[in-house]
Amino acid sequence: SLPICTGRPVLVVFVVYNRPGRDCSARSSNGELSATDGLPAYEKRYLQPLLSILRKYPSPRIVFLIEPDSLPNLVTNMWSPKCAASRSTYIEGVARAAEGLSDFGTVYLDVGWSGWIGSWSASKMAKVVDSVLNRMPEEAIARVRGIVTDISNYGTVFQEVQYANTMLREMAQLGRAGWHAVI
């Protein structure tokens, strides 16, 4: 780990949140890349510059929380034509981000929060996460440590722990045992 001023090792946390057409059901967080910009623009204008910076500073321990709202939208908002049209871009974009960034740190995939997805939709959410993993090579999957819930801090700790535990059980049933959760 890279000592910074204090001489102590640091942990750097990145919230990776700029996939094309992000948050397809919202009006306030559409992002700078439209869905029509596509994955090539995401890689060129967002992932590659981030990877370039990471290559310059290989020492810190890094955690990546990947693409809030993306995968949960595929569970609850497929009624929206914009979300339905974004399904493959969301899955592929999250897979590319997780694969590329996994070389530089630990990856957690966003699964929304307890009041949005909750235990009632955890099985569907786990299948969406699994579809992302199925697009990644095994060595990158091995560096996905788990899930992250409640990035926007809407749920109580008690609710989020319950939801995270349900999600971890669902992931284990899909063969993804040993995962962890960040709340």
Side-chain angles (χ1 to χ4, degrees):
S1 296
L2 178 70
I4 305 230
C5 296
T6 64
R8 295 185 212 149
V10 297
L11 175 68
V12 179
V13 179
F14 286 93
V15 177
V16 180
Y17 187 38
N18 202 30
R19 190 208 17 73
R22 78 172 192 211
D23 203 2
C24 60
S25 68
R27 292 188 178 128
S28 61
S29 60
N30 293 334
E32 67 178 297
L33 300 173
S34 72
T36 57
D37 288 332
L39 292 173
Y42 178 60
E43 288 195 51
K44 182 179 180 183
R45 293 173 37 202
Y46 188 70
L47 289 179
Q48 290 305 320
L50 179 56
L51 292 168
S52 177
I53 292 167
L54 294 169
R55 285 184 196 100
K56 290 180 185 178
Y57 304 98
S59 296
R61 295 177 311 151
I62 301 174
V63 170
F64 298 101
L65 309 177
I66 296 186
E67 292 294 353
D69 301 333
S70 295
L71 301 179
N73 270 304
L74 301 182
V75 173
T76 62
N77 296 318
M78 295 310 289
W79 55 267
S80 160
K82 187 176 177 185
C83 289
S86 298
R87 181 176 172 75
S88 64
T89 301
Y90 276 32
I91 290 171
E92 187 64 30
V94 171
R96 287 183 190 188
E99 181 180 345
L101 296 170
S102 70
D103 286 339
F104 298 94
T106 303
V107 171
Y108 292 87
L109 301 177
D110 178 66
V111 295
W113 66 287
S114 63
W116 179 11
I117 302 301
S119 298
W120 55 90
S121 294
S123 176
K124 289 180 185 177
M125 186 72 243
K127 288 175 186 164
V128 169
V129 170
D130 198 53
S131 68
V132 169
L133 299 171
N134 289 332
R135 294 189 182 256
M136 297 169 54
E138 287 298 320
E139 61 272 7
I141 293 170
R143 291 186 295 267
V144 176
R145 187 145 194 243
I147 58 169
V148 57
T149 76
D150 204 28
I151 287 178
S152 297
N153 196 30
Y154 294 120
T156 67
V157 172
F158 177 76
Q159 292 167 319
E160 293 310 308
V161 168
Q162 284 187 314
Y163 172 53
N165 285 331
T166 300
M167 277 301 305
L168 294 174
R169 280 191 302 277
E170 292 292 337
M171 293 306 300
Q173 289 178 359
L174 294 173
R176 311 294 182 183
W179 274 30
H180 302 274
V182 172
I183 298 171

